[in-house]
């Protein structure tokens, strides 16, 4: 049984021209702007090996989401029937962790410029992971 | 600044024949077995809309990982130079959240059988998300 809880501690945060969640694109490939991921100084050593051009998955904590929502109208469209949140990418869900596939454009110290990130300014960042390459290249 | 912390609460857990982390495959496409994701009864409504055949991303909490590790030898191979954890899929990292792309094979009540899950038995599950389809089908 998994009845414990666990504490996530942000490794950084987003700096983005997106400030209003209501006007943010729903997905990164729907017009999200480039944005900065700024790492906490304490985790900077974790960045070694990442370079411009690499594709990474940014995990965020969607801190403005509602955690007690279990069903939503997909994409907020009231004409579509409600579905369980686990069958959607709704930010409202029990653990509001966002996944964002981006490309690193540049790295300046602990600031990482990434492409098309659909997260609003000051969103906490939990993790960065490389997109997996073919098995032979791991 | 993102200096707060947040609490994640498992929505369920893994039931798998994999019990020893040392013998688990490093990635799901490297021979991981089928496994069950068992949801907590309280979140069962979130499952509506998911069906056998759907591809989903399972987010887990890798509760046996070391959170104070910032650099590792890739895939535990000491002949390879150390790299920052954010450029690897090491379970050891500040927030040990696992991403696992799987296919749903069957759903029996709150038990979901999924393909090739590289997580050991009793690993907490944090979220399920659909793999995004082409933009026209969202």
């Amino acid at each position: 049984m998994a009845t414990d809880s666990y504490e996530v501690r942000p490794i950084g945060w987003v700096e983005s021209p997106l400030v209003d969640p209501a006007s943010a694109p729903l997905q990164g490939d729907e017009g999200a702007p480039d944005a900065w991921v700024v790492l906490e100084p304490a985790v900077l050593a974790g960045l070694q090996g990442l370079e411009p051009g690499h594709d990474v998955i940014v995990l965020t904590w969607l801190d403005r989401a509602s955690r007690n929502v279990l069903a939503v109208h997909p994409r907020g469209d009231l004409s579509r029937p409600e579905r369980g949140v686990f069958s959607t990418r709704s930010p409202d869900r029990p653990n509001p962790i966002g996944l964002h596939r981006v490309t690193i454009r540049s790295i300046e110290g602990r600031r990482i410029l990434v492409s098309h990130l659909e997260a609003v300014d000051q969103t906490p960042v939990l993790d960065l992971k490389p997109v997996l390459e073919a098995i032979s290249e791991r």
Side-chain angles (χ1 to χ4, degrees), chain A:
Chain A
M1 290 279 296
T3 51
D4 294 333
S5 66
Y6 303 96
E7 184 186 78
V8 290
R9 298 184 285 268
I11 63 164
W13 63 94
V14 171
E15 287 184 9
S16 171
L18 283 178
V19 292
D20 176 14
S23 68
L26 293 175
Q27 299 299 336
D29 57 2
E30 296 176 15
D34 292 358
W36 293 93
V37 171
V38 184
L39 292 186
E40 297 283 358
V43 302
L44 185 56
L47 189 58
Q48 187 176 7
L50 286 180
E51 295 176 11
H54 287 185
D55 290 338
V56 295
I57 299 169
V58 179
L59 279 69
T60 58
W61 184 260
L62 303 169
D63 55 345
R64 283 155 247 209
S66 297
R67 303 185 64 175
N68 56 353
V69 169
L70 288 172
V72 296
H73 296 282
R75 299 173 63 86
D77 180 348
L78 298 180
S79 73
R80 296 171 70 172
E82 279 199 329
R83 295 213 316 237
V85 290
F86 303 136
S87 77
T88 79
R89 287 290 187 111
S90 166
D92 298 328
R93 54 204 311 122
N95 292 303
I97 297 170
L99 297 186
H100 318 265
R101 182 175 171 154
V102 301
T103 302
I104 296 177
R105 294 202 190 279
S106 66
I107 300 176
E108 300 177 9
R110 59 192 182 93
R111 298 170 58 82
I112 309 162
L113 183 65
V114 302
S115 63
H116 305 311
L117 181 64
E118 79 285 17
V120 296
D121 192 47
Q122 301 302 311
T123 298
V125 173
L126 300 184
D127 202 4
L128 304 173
K129 294 182 189 293
V131 173
L132 289 178
E133 306 130 358
I135 287 180
S136 61
E137 293 164 10
R138 284 176 194 166

